[in-house]
Amino acid sequence: MQITKAVIPAAGLGTRFLPITKALPKEMLPICDKPTIQYIIEEAVNSGITDILIITGRGKWPIVDYYDRSPELEAHLKMKGKEEQLEKLIDLSKMANIYYTRQTEPLGLGHAVHCAKSFVGEESFAVLLGDDIIKSRMPAIKQLIDVAEKNHSSVIGIREVPEHDVNKYGIVASAGKKGNVHQVRNLVEKPSLENAPSRLAIMGRYVLTSSIFGYLEKIPQGSGGEYQLTDALNLLSKEDKVYACEFEGTRFDAGDKLGFLKATVEYSLESPDIGVEFAKYLDGLYERKKVIAGRPKRQVTEG
């Protein structure tokens, strides 16, 4: 069992970032000096993935353009002697074999994954959601791939979340744990706290066997008329072993404004170009805020 294919669903509307996402896909919003989706693709490539299918929708053409060659721009950079920038542009198109297919209707993550059936064939494959950026020593999806290849099974990436967040995620019920790997007993999509079997939440990383497509074809439409991948995985777990891996790393919810800003700060601080100066700026900003916060409030008098 060798995982060389990955699927990245990128057809969402990005309504939490309106109005900018009316014109620009949320996957192309920049974190420091790279679009969000590039962090996801780099994670896949650094995990041994060679073939990537991006599930797109209306208005997502900037993603396709970004990973395509640009002869005019390349010729301009070459004429200006900007070899380093030229090399970076060419490297983008060589990162992996990138393919595209379109999700014609917004019918949920389960439907988006099912769009990859022809691309996947009979192989196991990875799924990486673009809203979750995970900063770790070993790529998060590689951690799942190692578990999947050892057990010849599907694996879900999970992290424990606070009680007030369980209704935002698919939640895993564990049938037993060895190290950081659980065997899945049950899965529930966005349960209330009272109905949640645990606080182990699915965090946008999956390694799936091709058998998942049969279960995706069995599930009914759920809330909002969407097909939930969690529901298909729950059916699969009743007939085959499914594992959940508590992966190591710092996770940023890039689909949330605060999470997006946190990721921007973290990656900007690591930038070889601006990291040191940015850190100095943040230190100075913090000191100025402390001074302002410590000043007595002005008294306003009438007269």
Side-chain angles (χ1 to χ4, degrees), residues 108-126:
L109 179 57
H111 180 265
V113 171
H114 192 268
C115 290
K117 184 176 180 180
S118 297
F119 169 77
V120 168
E122 299 299 318
E123 299 179 47
S124 296
F125 63 106

Side-chain angles (χ1 to χ4, degrees), residues 133-137 159 247-252 266-267:
I133 293 179
I134 301 164
K135 185 167 167 283
S136 56
R137 288 171 294 179
R159 295 291 287 271
F247 57 82
E248 173 272 331
T250 303
R251 177 249 182 184
F252 302 99
E266 291 269 356
Y267 283 101

Side-chain angles (χ1 to χ4, degrees), residues 139-264:
I141 199 65
K142 174 64 170 141
Q143 297 174 48
L144 271 63
I145 287 171
D146 288 348
V147 176
E149 290 180 345
K150 178 181 177 181
N151 294 283
H152 298 277
S153 64
S154 294
V155 182
I156 307 163
I158 59 170
R159 295 291 287 271
E160 192 169 75
V161 297
E163 288 185 347
H164 61 266
D165 280 342
V166 296
N167 64 343
K168 301 176 183 177
Y169 299 94
I171 300 295
V172 170
S174 175
K177 178 182 178 183
K178 185 175 182 180
N180 66 332
V181 178
H182 300 254
Q183 184 173 333
V184 174
R185 176 170 55 85
N186 192 36
L187 299 102
V188 184
E189 179 66 20
K190 297 179 180 178
S192 64
L193 179 59
E194 295 75 21
N195 295 324
S198 74
R199 292 192 289 122
L200 298 173
I202 303 172
M203 289 292 177
R205 295 293 184 273
Y206 310 79
V207 175
L208 305 174
T209 62
S210 60
S211 61
I212 192 65
F213 295 114
Y215 296 96
L216 286 169
E217 289 159 7
K218 292 179 182 179
I219 59 171
Q221 289 175 274
S223 176
E226 295 186 346
Y227 294 95
Q228 301 293 344
L229 178 58
T230 302
D231 293 341
L233 285 166
N234 191 43
L235 290 180
L236 174 61
S237 71
K238 307 306 178 191
E239 300 181 14
D240 199 358
K241 287 184 178 179
V242 175
Y243 293 91
C245 174
E246 294 187 64
F247 57 82
E248 173 272 331
T250 303
R251 177 249 182 184
F252 302 99
D253 181 0
D256 170 80
K257 289 180 182 178
L258 181 58
F260 179 85
L261 290 173
K262 287 178 179 179
T264 299

Side-chain angles (χ1 to χ4, degrees), residues 42-54:
E42 287 177 353
E43 179 186 333
V45 170
N46 292 334
S47 302
I49 299 296
T50 58
D51 297 275
I52 297 171
L53 178 67
I54 301 177

